[in-house]
Amino acid sequence: MDREHFSNDITVIMAMAGSAIGLGNIWRFPYMAGQNGGAAFIVIYIFCAVLLALPIFLSEASIGKYTQSGTFGAIEKLLPGSKLRWLGMITVISPLIILSYYSVVGGWSIKYLYVSLAGGFGEDVASEYGRLVSSPVIPLVCHTLFLLLTSGVVLAGVKSGIERFNKISIPVLFVLIVIIAVYSLTLPGSAAGVEYLLKPDFSNVGPKTFIYAMGQSFFSLSLGVGTVLTYSSYMKKDAGLMKTGFGTAFFDLLFALIAGFAIMPAVFAAGIEPGSGPGLIFETLPYIFVKMGITLPFLSRLISILFFLTIVVAALTSSISMLETGVAYLNEEKGFSRKKAVTVLFALTWTLGALCSLSFGPLSGVKIFGLNIFSFCDALVSNFFMVMGALLFVYLAGWRMDEGQMRKETGAAYFFIRYVSPFVIFAIFLSNLL
Ligand code: TRP
């Protein structure tokens, strides 16, 4: 079968950055940095990104590039006949689980974009979020819409869908987030937000900081679930992996930092406490837009539209990479056409996503290990599956791939891939287990 390929290194980096840049950069990084030592956290984060995340990235990427197969097929090639290869199924399932609940949040963002466009938020915006997520119908409609958009891009194929969408979206995302940051930094009282984000505070730095920084770099670069592997299998043979790895990590961090400058100054200018997670984007910021809207109705509307547009697009560039991972599997291993694969996976992720969505409302009574369905899916993948996937990838890259080729491609990082990463990842796994 003829394999489609990304046109060049730039478009590979755009696609990888598209997968990496997402909700994690916007709602998690700024808060993590602020809470865990400001500039000190950022330095530790860079350290973890280079020493831990990059070797994992390079492992996944070299497996994809050299086997020219999607996630399960690649593992099968490296572990022929071994029972261990079945572990590879985790990396087929993980991105689909993430897609299911990510699409629910993508749906909320669509709803907020719609509200921004249709006339802005009402006075009781903070409680509106609780009402939205617990109501059954609207979140389901928006989840469906988000998943349809994702499917549309993936259906169009690697080059005319994924490559084209990312090539346009990534520059647009940077322009949008810079506009918002510039605006945010000019608000009176914004300096406190900059200080929150950057002031080095070593009293907050400890072993825990490293665990947080590792976890964040892991999630933010979309590692361990076969997405990097799948995208890399669309690389041409002459594509440089180091360049791609550093490029992706650079754009991902840059976006996270600018997002911090877009969000925290506004939060502090409005005199509220920064939170993390969905509350930050769906409660705190809309509240700020309402407050600003009293004096600056036009500008506040505009910024609110741009902001939710940024979130929807950033989430889409990530979600298409998750869906593509599953599509590549069904296409190559099961002989499904792209159309059939997208249709089947749409049905599956729509259903699991719907359960996740309803778990804030009608199904809130259903608990798995004390978590609702949405949080359980997130915890299962983020704490266990992603880590197990990463462990499998560094093992395969460090011990199953051709050594000479790996050394040539990954240079000094090879030592880490082979001897250091497996132990560090195992330690993370244990710490998640406890
Ligand atoms: N990196 C994405 C973000 O920052 C989230 C993510 C985690 C992801 N794992 C993934 C995206 C796998 C695509 C595929 O929001």
Side-chain angles (χ1 to χ4, degrees):
M1 183 181 10
D2 256 356
R3 208 177 175 70
E4 266 197 280
H5 287 99
F6 290 124
S7 305
N8 53 46
D9 283 8
I10 305 285
T11 51
V12 174
I13 295 177
M14 292 294 156
M16 294 281 193
S19 173
I21 294 171
L23 300 166
N25 302 59
I26 297 170
W27 84 23
R28 216 156 160 246
F29 183 85
Y31 177 79
M32 292 283 264
Q35 282 291 294
N36 294 290
F41 178 86
I42 294 169
V43 172
I44 294 171
Y45 177 85
I46 294 173
F47 183 78
C48 291
V50 172
L51 292 185
L52 174 80
L54 210 60
I56 302 174
F57 184 98
L58 292 171
S59 301
E60 271 200 64
S62 39
I63 297 172
K65 181 179 157 185
Y66 286 102
T67 60
Q68 290 285 303
S69 307
T71 187
F72 186 73
I75 294 164
E76 236 177 357
K77 279 186 186 166
L78 295 173
L79 291 169
S82 158
K83 287 232 162 54
L84 204 59
R85 73 181 195 281
W86 292 109
L87 270 182
M89 279 315 283
I90 290 181
T91 61
V92 175
I93 298 165
S94 299
L96 298 174
I97 299 180
I98 307 181
L99 177 58
S100 307
Y101 67 81
Y102 211 82
S103 168
V104 172
V105 183
W108 299 343
S109 316
I110 291 182
K111 160 80 176 160
Y112 274 67
L113 176 61
Y114 173 78
V115 174
S116 308
L117 283 166
F121 300 96
E123 287 294 326
D124 52 350
V125 58
S127 52
E128 208 169 278
Y129 168 67
R131 244 178 294 132
L132 168 72
V133 302
S134 60
S135 73
V137 180
I138 293 174
L140 278 186
V141 173
C142 296
H143 157 60
T144 311
L145 212 59
F146 184 86
L147 211 48
L148 279 174
L149 289 171
T150 306
S151 305
V153 177
V154 173
L155 197 59
V158 174
K159 243 190 167 126
S160 9
I162 298 173
E163 172 168 308
R164 191 145 56 135
F165 188 77
N166 281 303
K167 205 165 72 183
I168 300 169
S169 300
I170 295 298
V172 168
L173 280 177
F174 272 95
V175 171
L176 287 174
I177 201 78
V178 167
I179 295 175
I180 302 167
V182 168
Y183 173 74
S184 191
L185 288 165
T186 55
L187 294 172
S190 63
V194 177
E195 186 172 325
Y196 172 82
L197 204 63
L198 289 186
K199 191 171 164 231
D201 175 5
F202 290 97
S203 66
N204 268 339
V205 172
K208 250 193 11 219
T209 319
F210 284 83
I211 304 263
Y212 288 156
M214 285 197 277
Q216 176 65 18
S217 67
F218 218 103
F219 186 81
S220 195
L221 284 170
S222 316
L223 299 173
V225 300
T227 324
V228 173
L229 191 161
T230 303
Y231 271 7
S232 305
S233 73
Y234 303 134
M235 277 179 168
K236 291 179 181 156
K237 281 276 191 250
D238 59 355
L241 292 187
M242 279 297 217
K243 191 157 70 172
T244 311
F246 275 103
T248 306
F250 172 78
F251 285 123
D252 186 52
L253 176 64
L254 188 66
F255 193 88
L257 285 173
I258 306 174
F261 289 121
I263 292 168
M264 289 308 169
V267 170
F268 280 85
I272 30 191
E273 276 296 295
S276 79
L280 181 63
I281 25 185
F282 297 114
E283 288 175 306
T284 313
L285 288 165
Y287 171 75
I288 295 171
F289 295 135
V290 170
K291 237 178 116 173
M292 280 172 12
I294 298 168
T295 44
L296 298 165
F298 175 74
L299 207 55
S300 123
R301 265 282 280 298
L302 182 67
I303 295 289
S304 155
I305 293 168
L306 295 183
F307 182 74
F308 286 105
L309 182 65
T310 307
I311 295 187
V312 171
V313 176
L316 273 174
T317 56
S318 298
S319 65
I320 59 179
S321 73
M322 305 173 203
L323 183 57
E324 177 61 25
T325 306
V327 167
Y329 166 76
L330 287 182
N331 180 248
E332 292 164 13
E333 304 299 313
K334 303 286 168 208
F336 284 31
S337 68
R338 187 163 273 273
K339 193 166 159 200
K340 185 168 164 201
V342 169
T343 312
V344 168
L345 295 181
F346 179 93
L348 276 177
T349 50
W350 186 87
T351 308
L352 182 58
L355 293 174
C356 290
S357 181
L358 294 171
S359 74
F360 292 100
L363 295 182
S364 60
V366 181
K367 299 275 192 241
I368 313 167
F369 295 108
L371 301 169
N372 72 9
I373 302 171
F374 182 102
S375 308
F376 174 75
C377 288
D378 181 29
L380 183 69
V381 178
S382 303
N383 297 339
F384 299 108
F385 286 3
M386 281 171 83
V387 190
M388 284 158 77
L391 196 56
L392 185 64
F393 292 141
V394 291
Y395 164 70
L396 293 175
W399 298 90
R400 289 279 163 165
M401 301 262 300
D402 180 72
E403 191 175 334
Q405 198 177 45
M406 283 299 294
R407 279 187 194 279
K408 206 169 103 207
E409 187 79 77
T410 61
Y414 186 67
F415 175 81
F416 275 87
I417 293 174
R418 195 168 162 111
Y419 299 108
V420 183
S421 309
F423 297 100
V424 179
I425 300 169
F426 191 66
I428 299 178
F429 183 73
L430 284 185
S431 98
N432 286 344
L433 206 60
L434 309 173

